[in-house]
Amino acid sequence: MTAKPGEKKRDRALYARLVESYQADRVGIFVDFDRLNNPRSPVWNPWENITPLLLILIGSLTLMFFVHLLLGTATMVLGVIFYLFVMRPWIAQRVYRRAIDAATENLHNWNLLWKMGGLVVTLNYMNKTRCVAPDGDWRAFVTRYLPEMELEGVESYNAFQNAQRGADGAPGTSRLQDVNM
């Protein structure tokens, strides 16, 4: 699917508005851990998912065969509890951080993670107002709820108007008057 140049430019502007709002803490970006912690995800790290489980398994089997069967079994049970209550939240925090960093890095990453369904955008001042990927339209959400972004070219226009007013000497007496602003 190739987008038209105008759509790409609009998407980049909307994405910049979204990232600016996230950095200003006007919106929150939440990550769906279950959708992003799988092998098809670009933020999935196999080693942080497999290594703890392998260490628990190898350690408990070693204790089962070389020391005592009950000690190995107890080690396996304690290892699984450790994995569920310590390692799993740690992995979730790392996936969250990588997903947020990737999503706010560039538009391509944002669209990729959005299509996977791993992101949720919410307004910080209205928690019930949210846009959930992949079914929600983040572009419409940004357009509707984050309209305070400066439009491209406004600075140039204002500089031109200020220069015109300065050349004429008095404010409001310039030849070019904009009746729409």
Side-chain angles (χ1 to χ4, degrees):
M1 178 172 117
T2 44
K4 297 175 186 169
E7 290 175 3
K8 282 186 175 183
K9 188 175 182 180
R10 180 177 176 269
D11 283 355
R12 281 194 295 268
L14 290 173
Y15 173 74
R17 185 186 321 178
L18 178 67
V19 170
E20 175 187 320
S21 296
Y22 173 72
Q23 291 170 346
D25 204 30
R26 287 182 293 236
V27 297
I29 301 173
F30 297 96
V31 174
D32 186 354
F33 173 71
D34 295 327
R35 287 192 183 210
L36 292 181
N37 193 38
N38 67 55
R40 292 176 299 207
S41 172
V43 295
W44 185 68
N45 183 352
W47 294 109
E48 72 184 15
N49 285 284
I50 296 170
T51 303
L53 294 172
L54 279 176
L55 291 175
I56 292 168
L57 180 66
I58 291 170
S60 63
L61 285 176
T62 303
L63 289 174
M64 278 183 194
F65 287 123
F66 295 116
V67 178
H68 196 272
L69 181 66
L70 288 177
L71 182 62
T73 305
T75 304
M76 176 69 82
V77 170
L78 291 175
V80 168
I81 291 171
F82 175 76
Y83 179 78
L84 288 175
F85 292 107
V86 175
M87 292 305 298
R88 190 93 165 139
W90 178 74
I91 293 169
Q93 187 265 335
R94 289 180 53 87
V95 167
Y96 171 80
R97 188 77 261 144
R98 278 196 307 269
I100 293 296
D101 289 345
T104 57
E105 185 178 346
N106 61 45
L107 179 60
H108 173 74
N109 292 350
W110 174 265
N111 285 331
L112 190 66
L113 292 173
W114 190 265
K115 286 178 187 172
M116 290 192 69
L119 300 175
V120 178
V121 181
T122 63
L123 290 176
N124 284 343
Y125 60 90
M126 292 172 45
N127 288 335
K128 295 191 188 276
T129 304
R130 61 184 56 186
C131 185
V132 181
D135 297 330
D137 184 6
W138 69 268
R139 294 164 188 89
F141 180 87
V142 170
T143 302
R144 180 173 181 182
Y145 293 109
L146 304 174
E148 65 271 358
M149 184 184 111
E150 288 189 22
L151 298 173
E152 191 174 275
V154 169
E155 294 88 5
S156 301
Y157 175 78
N158 289 336
F160 174 74
Q161 287 293 76
N162 290 338
Q164 282 292 336
R165 288 184 187 128
D168 293 342
T173 60
S174 68
R175 267 184 38 224
L176 303 173
Q177 297 254 339
D178 190 342
V179 293
N180 294 326
M181 289 194 116

